[in-house]
mmCIF file of all heavy atoms in Angstrom:
data_model
loop_
_atom_site.group_PDB
_atom_site.id
_atom_site.type_symbol
_atom_site.label_atom_id
_atom_site.label_comp_id
_atom_site.label_asym_id
_atom_site.label_seq_id
_atom_site.Cartn_x
_atom_site.Cartn_y
_atom_site.Cartn_z
ATOM 1 N N LEU A 264 -122.001 -140.914 -18.804
ATOM 2 C CA LEU A 264 -122.162 -140.604 -17.384
ATOM 3 C C LEU A 264 -120.985 -139.775 -16.884
ATOM 4 O O LEU A 264 -121.163 -138.807 -16.140
ATOM 5 C CB LEU A 264 -122.272 -141.893 -16.564
ATOM 6 C CG LEU A 264 -122.319 -141.724 -15.043
ATOM 7 C CD1 LEU A 264 -123.558 -140.940 -14.626
ATOM 8 C CD2 LEU A 264 -122.279 -143.095 -14.346
ATOM 9 N N THR A 265 -119.784 -140.148 -17.298
ATOM 10 C CA THR A 265 -118.598 -139.398 -16.887
ATOM 11 C C THR A 265 -118.681 -137.954 -17.367
ATOM 12 O O THR A 265 -118.417 -137.013 -16.599
ATOM 13 C CB THR A 265 -117.320 -140.061 -17.442
ATOM 14 O OG1 THR A 265 -117.218 -141.395 -16.916
ATOM 15 C CG2 THR A 265 -116.081 -139.284 -17.033
ATOM 16 N N LYS A 266 -119.057 -137.749 -18.611
ATOM 17 C CA LYS A 266 -119.174 -136.401 -19.163
ATOM 18 C C LYS A 266 -120.209 -135.590 -18.396
ATOM 19 O O LYS A 266 -119.965 -134.426 -18.027
ATOM 20 C CB LYS A 266 -119.552 -136.472 -20.642
ATOM 21 C CG LYS A 266 -119.679 -135.103 -21.299
ATOM 22 C CD LYS A 266 -120.016 -135.237 -22.789
ATOM 23 C CE LYS A 266 -120.143 -133.856 -23.438
ATOM 24 N NZ LYS A 266 -120.468 -133.980 -24.893
ATOM 25 N N LYS A 267 -121.354 -136.188 -18.133
ATOM 26 C CA LYS A 267 -122.421 -135.498 -17.408
ATOM 27 C C LYS A 267 -121.948 -135.101 -16.008
ATOM 28 O O LYS A 267 -122.222 -133.981 -15.542
ATOM 29 C CB LYS A 267 -123.644 -136.412 -17.305
ATOM 30 C CG LYS A 267 -124.792 -135.821 -16.501
ATOM 31 C CD LYS A 267 -125.946 -136.806 -16.401
ATOM 32 C CE LYS A 267 -127.065 -136.256 -15.514
ATOM 33 N NZ LYS A 267 -128.180 -137.249 -15.377
ATOM 34 N N THR A 268 -121.214 -135.992 -15.354
ATOM 35 C CA THR A 268 -120.754 -135.728 -13.997
ATOM 36 C C THR A 268 -119.680 -134.653 -13.978
ATOM 37 O O THR A 268 -119.651 -133.805 -13.083
ATOM 38 C CB THR A 268 -120.228 -137.026 -13.356
ATOM 39 O OG1 THR A 268 -121.227 -138.059 -13.479
ATOM 40 C CG2 THR A 268 -119.920 -136.819 -11.881
ATOM 41 N N VAL A 269 -118.778 -134.666 -14.957
ATOM 42 C CA VAL A 269 -117.757 -133.615 -15.065
ATOM 43 C C VAL A 269 -118.430 -132.255 -15.246
ATOM 44 O O VAL A 269 -118.038 -131.260 -14.613
ATOM 45 C CB VAL A 269 -116.799 -133.900 -16.238
ATOM 46 C CG1 VAL A 269 -115.943 -132.666 -16.543
ATOM 47 C CG2 VAL A 269 -115.907 -135.095 -15.921
ATOM 48 N N GLN A 270 -119.437 -132.208 -16.082
ATOM 49 C CA GLN A 270 -120.148 -130.948 -16.315
ATOM 50 C C GLN A 270 -120.839 -130.451 -15.047
ATOM 51 O O GLN A 270 -120.866 -129.247 -14.774
ATOM 52 C CB GLN A 270 -121.152 -131.118 -17.453
ATOM 53 C CG GLN A 270 -120.482 -131.319 -18.810
ATOM 54 C CD GLN A 270 -121.440 -131.729 -19.911
ATOM 55 O OE1 GLN A 270 -122.527 -132.273 -19.648
ATOM 56 N NE2 GLN A 270 -121.060 -131.483 -21.152
ATOM 57 N N LEU A 271 -121.384 -131.373 -14.254
ATOM 58 C CA LEU A 271 -121.987 -130.990 -12.980
ATOM 59 C C LEU A 271 -120.928 -130.440 -12.024
ATOM 60 O O LEU A 271 -121.181 -129.481 -11.284
ATOM 61 C CB LEU A 271 -122.685 -132.192 -12.345
ATOM 62 C CG LEU A 271 -123.980 -132.657 -13.011
ATOM 63 C CD1 LEU A 271 -124.461 -133.964 -12.377
ATOM 64 C CD2 LEU A 271 -125.064 -131.588 -12.885
ATOM 65 N N ALA A 272 -119.743 -131.053 -12.048
ATOM 66 C CA ALA A 272 -118.645 -130.572 -11.195
ATOM 67 C C ALA A 272 -118.223 -129.168 -11.612
ATOM 68 O O ALA A 272 -117.937 -128.315 -10.769
ATOM 69 C CB ALA A 272 -117.462 -131.535 -11.267
ATOM 70 N N GLN A 273 -118.182 -128.919 -12.913
ATOM 71 C CA GLN A 273 -117.827 -127.584 -13.392
ATOM 72 C C GLN A 273 -118.847 -126.552 -12.923
ATOM 73 O O GLN A 273 -118.496 -125.485 -12.410
ATOM 74 C CB GLN A 273 -117.741 -127.586 -14.925
ATOM 75 C CG GLN A 273 -116.557 -128.364 -15.466
ATOM 76 C CD GLN A 273 -116.476 -128.340 -16.981
ATOM 77 O OE1 GLN A 273 -115.401 -128.391 -17.560
ATOM 78 N NE2 GLN A 273 -117.617 -128.270 -17.646
ATOM 79 N N LYS A 274 -120.113 -126.879 -13.065
ATOM 80 C CA LYS A 274 -121.165 -125.945 -12.657
ATOM 81 C C LYS A 274 -121.166 -125.719 -11.148
ATOM 82 O O LYS A 274 -121.559 -124.648 -10.670
ATOM 83 C CB LYS A 274 -122.526 -126.479 -13.106
ATOM 84 C CG LYS A 274 -122.710 -126.477 -14.615
ATOM 85 C CD LYS A 274 -124.051 -127.091 -15.014
ATOM 86 C CE LYS A 274 -124.211 -127.131 -16.526
ATOM 87 N NZ LYS A 274 -125.479 -127.785 -16.939
ATOM 88 N N SER A 275 -120.727 -126.728 -10.388
ATOM 89 C CA SER A 275 -120.746 -126.616 -8.924
ATOM 90 C C SER A 275 -119.800 -125.534 -8.417
ATOM 91 O O SER A 275 -119.930 -125.062 -7.289
ATOM 92 C CB SER A 275 -120.380 -127.961 -8.281
ATOM 93 O OG SER A 275 -118.990 -128.242 -8.408
ATOM 94 N N LEU A 276 -118.838 -125.124 -9.254
ATOM 95 C CA LEU A 276 -117.889 -124.088 -8.846
ATOM 96 C C LEU A 276 -118.596 -122.780 -8.515
ATOM 97 O O LEU A 276 -118.126 -121.998 -7.684
ATOM 98 C CB LEU A 276 -116.858 -123.852 -9.948
ATOM 99 C CG LEU A 276 -115.919 -125.015 -10.280
ATOM 100 C CD1 LEU A 276 -115.044 -124.674 -11.483
ATOM 101 C CD2 LEU A 276 -115.046 -125.382 -9.088
ATOM 102 N N ASP A 277 -119.724 -122.530 -9.154
ATOM 103 C CA ASP A 277 -120.456 -121.288 -8.917
ATOM 104 C C ASP A 277 -120.894 -121.145 -7.465
ATOM 105 O O ASP A 277 -120.753 -120.081 -6.861
ATOM 106 C CB ASP A 277 -121.680 -121.217 -9.836
ATOM 107 C CG ASP A 277 -121.588 -120.051 -10.801
ATOM 108 O OD1 ASP A 277 -120.822 -119.109 -10.524
ATOM 109 O OD2 ASP A 277 -122.269 -120.080 -11.833
ATOM 110 N N ASN A 278 -121.432 -122.233 -6.907
ATOM 111 C CA ASN A 278 -121.899 -122.195 -5.526
ATOM 112 C C ASN A 278 -120.796 -122.507 -4.526
ATOM 113 O O ASN A 278 -120.885 -122.131 -3.360
ATOM 114 C CB ASN A 278 -123.052 -123.179 -5.331
ATOM 115 C CG ASN A 278 -124.295 -122.787 -6.097
ATOM 116 O OD1 ASN A 278 -124.571 -121.602 -6.284
ATOM 117 N ND2 ASN A 278 -125.041 -123.771 -6.578
ATOM 118 N N MET A 279 -119.769 -123.175 -4.988
ATOM 119 C CA MET A 279 -118.721 -123.653 -4.094
ATOM 120 C C MET A 279 -117.680 -122.586 -3.774
ATOM 121 O O MET A 279 -117.074 -122.599 -2.701
ATOM 122 C CB MET A 279 -118.044 -124.870 -4.737
ATOM 123 C CG MET A 279 -117.310 -125.779 -3.801
ATOM 124 S SD MET A 279 -116.882 -127.311 -4.656
ATOM 125 C CE MET A 279 -118.419 -128.220 -4.548
ATOM 126 N N LEU A 280 -117.477 -121.637 -4.698
ATOM 127 C CA LEU A 280 -116.445 -120.620 -4.539
ATOM 128 C C LEU A 280 -117.060 -119.238 -4.370
ATOM 129 O O LEU A 280 -118.127 -118.949 -4.926
ATOM 130 C CB LEU A 280 -115.526 -120.589 -5.766
ATOM 131 C CG LEU A 280 -114.850 -121.895 -6.188
ATOM 132 C CD1 LEU A 280 -113.995 -121.650 -7.429
ATOM 133 C CD2 LEU A 280 -114.012 -122.472 -5.066
ATOM 134 N N ASP A 281 -116.376 -118.392 -3.613
ATOM 135 C CA ASP A 281 -116.774 -116.991 -3.585
ATOM 136 C C ASP A 281 -116.013 -116.242 -4.675
ATOM 137 O O ASP A 281 -115.250 -116.842 -5.447
ATOM 138 C CB ASP A 281 -116.555 -116.373 -2.194
ATOM 139 C CG ASP A 281 -115.088 -116.364 -1.754
ATOM 140 O OD1 ASP A 281 -114.194 -116.356 -2.624
ATOM 141 O OD2 ASP A 281 -114.840 -116.374 -0.532
ATOM 142 N N ASP A 282 -116.191 -114.932 -4.756
ATOM 143 C CA ASP A 282 -115.604 -114.162 -5.856
ATOM 144 C C ASP A 282 -114.077 -114.161 -5.847
ATOM 145 O O ASP A 282 -113.440 -113.906 -6.869
ATOM 146 C CB ASP A 282 -116.114 -112.719 -5.809
ATOM 147 C CG ASP A 282 -117.602 -112.623 -6.136
ATOM 148 O OD1 ASP A 282 -118.116 -113.569 -6.752
ATOM 149 O OD2 ASP A 282 -118.231 -111.614 -5.756
ATOM 150 N N LYS A 283 -113.477 -114.441 -4.681
ATOM 151 C CA LYS A 283 -112.020 -114.448 -4.580
ATOM 152 C C LYS A 283 -111.420 -115.855 -4.715
ATOM 153 O O LYS A 283 -110.201 -116.006 -4.702
ATOM 154 C CB LYS A 283 -111.601 -113.841 -3.245
ATOM 155 C CG LYS A 283 -111.961 -112.364 -3.106
ATOM 156 C CD LYS A 283 -111.518 -111.821 -1.759
ATOM 157 C CE LYS A 283 -111.865 -110.337 -1.616
ATOM 158 N NZ LYS A 283 -111.452 -109.798 -0.296
ATOM 159 N N GLY A 284 -112.283 -116.859 -4.810
ATOM 160 C CA GLY A 284 -111.792 -118.233 -4.917
ATOM 161 C C GLY A 284 -111.818 -118.992 -3.609
ATOM 162 O O GLY A 284 -111.409 -120.160 -3.552
ATOM 163 N N GLY A 285 -112.261 -118.359 -2.544
ATOM 164 C CA GLY A 285 -112.405 -119.047 -1.271
ATOM 165 C C GLY A 285 -113.577 -120.020 -1.301
ATOM 166 O O GLY A 285 -114.501 -119.859 -2.111
ATOM 167 N N GLN A 286 -113.531 -120.991 -0.444
ATOM 168 C CA GLN A 286 -114.581 -122.006 -0.383
ATOM 169 C C GLN A 286 -115.327 -121.851 0.950
ATOM 170 O O GLN A 286 -114.918 -122.425 1.965
ATOM 171 C CB GLN A 286 -113.975 -123.400 -0.501
ATOM 172 C CG GLN A 286 -113.141 -123.601 -1.755
ATOM 173 C CD GLN A 286 -112.331 -124.882 -1.732
ATOM 174 O OE1 GLN A 286 -112.851 -125.962 -1.441
ATOM 175 N NE2 GLN A 286 -111.045 -124.765 -2.037
ATOM 176 N N PRO A 287 -116.401 -121.074 0.987
ATOM 177 C CA PRO A 287 -117.070 -120.729 2.244
ATOM 178 C C PRO A 287 -117.427 -121.914 3.125
ATOM 179 O O PRO A 287 -117.251 -121.845 4.354
ATOM 180 C CB PRO A 287 -118.330 -119.989 1.773
ATOM 181 C CG PRO A 287 -117.927 -119.376 0.470
ATOM 182 C CD PRO A 287 -117.013 -120.383 -0.165
ATOM 183 N N LEU A 288 -117.913 -123.002 2.542
ATOM 184 C CA LEU A 288 -118.308 -124.147 3.364
ATOM 185 C C LEU A 288 -117.099 -124.838 3.990
ATOM 186 O O LEU A 288 -117.211 -125.430 5.061
ATOM 187 C CB LEU A 288 -119.114 -125.146 2.528
ATOM 188 C CG LEU A 288 -120.503 -124.654 2.095
ATOM 189 C CD1 LEU A 288 -121.192 -125.712 1.230
ATOM 190 C CD2 LEU A 288 -121.376 -124.319 3.295
ATOM 191 N N GLU A 289 -115.958 -124.763 3.333
ATOM 192 C CA GLU A 289 -114.741 -125.356 3.889
ATOM 193 C C GLU A 289 -114.057 -124.380 4.851
ATOM 194 O O GLU A 289 -113.473 -124.785 5.863
ATOM 195 C CB GLU A 289 -113.772 -125.761 2.772
ATOM 196 C CG GLU A 289 -114.392 -126.567 1.637
ATOM 197 C CD GLU A 289 -115.136 -127.817 2.077
ATOM 198 O OE1 GLU A 289 -114.866 -128.350 3.174
ATOM 199 O OE2 GLU A 289 -116.021 -128.270 1.312
ATOM 200 N N LEU A 290 -114.126 -123.085 4.543
ATOM 201 C CA LEU A 290 -113.516 -122.079 5.412
ATOM 202 C C LEU A 290 -114.236 -121.963 6.749
ATOM 203 O O LEU A 290 -113.674 -121.465 7.730
ATOM 204 C CB LEU A 290 -113.515 -120.715 4.708
ATOM 205 C CG LEU A 290 -112.637 -120.616 3.455
ATOM 206 C CD1 LEU A 290 -112.835 -119.261 2.784
ATOM 207 C CD2 LEU A 290 -111.170 -120.837 3.798
ATOM 208 N N ALA A 291 -115.480 -122.424 6.801
ATOM 209 C CA ALA A 291 -116.240 -122.380 8.051
ATOM 210 C C ALA A 291 -115.847 -123.500 9.004
ATOM 211 O O ALA A 291 -116.243 -123.487 10.178
ATOM 212 C CB ALA A 291 -117.741 -122.463 7.747
ATOM 213 N N ARG A 292 -115.042 -124.450 8.521
ATOM 214 C CA ARG A 292 -114.631 -125.579 9.341
ATOM 215 C C ARG A 292 -113.518 -125.167 10.302
ATOM 216 O O ARG A 292 -112.900 -124.112 10.155
ATOM 217 C CB ARG A 292 -114.128 -126.737 8.453
ATOM 218 C CG ARG A 292 -115.129 -127.253 7.435
ATOM 219 C CD ARG A 292 -116.278 -127.986 8.083
ATOM 220 N NE ARG A 292 -115.849 -129.185 8.768
ATOM 221 C CZ ARG A 292 -115.745 -130.398 8.183
ATOM 222 N NH1 ARG A 292 -116.031 -130.541 6.911
ATOM 223 N NH2 ARG A 292 -115.360 -131.449 8.892
ATOM 224 N N THR A 293 -113.239 -126.024 11.282
ATOM 225 C CA THR A 293 -112.145 -125.745 12.220
ATOM 226 C C THR A 293 -110.785 -126.083 11.617
ATOM 227 O O THR A 293 -109.760 -125.738 12.191
ATOM 228 C CB THR A 293 -112.333 -126.552 13.516
ATOM 229 O OG1 THR A 293 -112.371 -127.945 13.190
ATOM 230 C CG2 THR A 293 -113.607 -126.143 14.232
ATOM 231 N N ARG A 294 -110.775 -126.768 10.468
ATOM 232 C CA ARG A 294 -109.542 -127.055 9.726
ATOM 233 C C ARG A 294 -109.714 -126.530 8.298
ATOM 234 O O ARG A 294 -109.745 -127.295 7.338
ATOM 235 C CB ARG A 294 -109.250 -128.554 9.731
ATOM 236 C CG ARG A 294 -109.127 -129.168 11.125
ATOM 237 C CD ARG A 294 -108.988 -130.683 11.043
ATOM 238 N NE ARG A 294 -107.762 -131.067 10.371
ATOM 239 C CZ ARG A 294 -107.542 -132.290 9.870
ATOM 240 N NH1 ARG A 294 -108.494 -133.213 9.948
ATOM 241 N NH2 ARG A 294 -106.399 -132.575 9.287
ATOM 242 N N PRO A 295 -109.854 -125.215 8.146
ATOM 243 C CA PRO A 295 -110.248 -124.652 6.848
ATOM 244 C C PRO A 295 -109.235 -124.849 5.725
ATOM 245 O O PRO A 295 -109.628 -125.047 4.577
ATOM 246 C CB PRO A 295 -110.450 -123.162 7.155
ATOM 247 C CG PRO A 295 -109.628 -122.913 8.382
ATOM 248 C CD PRO A 295 -109.705 -124.177 9.172
ATOM 249 N N PHE A 296 -107.946 -124.770 6.026
ATOM 250 C CA PHE A 296 -106.952 -124.961 4.972
ATOM 251 C C PHE A 296 -106.967 -126.409 4.492
ATOM 252 O O PHE A 296 -106.962 -126.681 3.288
ATOM 253 C CB PHE A 296 -105.558 -124.588 5.469
ATOM 254 C CG PHE A 296 -104.521 -124.578 4.384
ATOM 255 C CD1 PHE A 296 -104.388 -123.489 3.543
ATOM 256 C CD2 PHE A 296 -103.672 -125.663 4.200
ATOM 257 C CE1 PHE A 296 -103.430 -123.474 2.525
ATOM 258 C CE2 PHE A 296 -102.717 -125.663 3.186
ATOM 259 C CZ PHE A 296 -102.595 -124.564 2.352
#
Side-chain angles (χ1 to χ4, degrees):
L264 175 63
T265 299
K266 181 178 180 180
K267 177 182 176 182
T268 308
V269 167
Q270 291 170 337
L271 288 173
Q273 290 181 149
K274 292 177 182 177
S275 74
L276 295 175
D277 243 340
N278 293 328
M279 201 168 279
L280 305 180
D281 62 26
D282 292 340
K283 295 180 180 179
Q286 304 169 49
L288 291 178
E289 311 306 337
L290 294 174
R292 302 290 296 272
T293 59
R294 303 174 64 197
F296 188 81

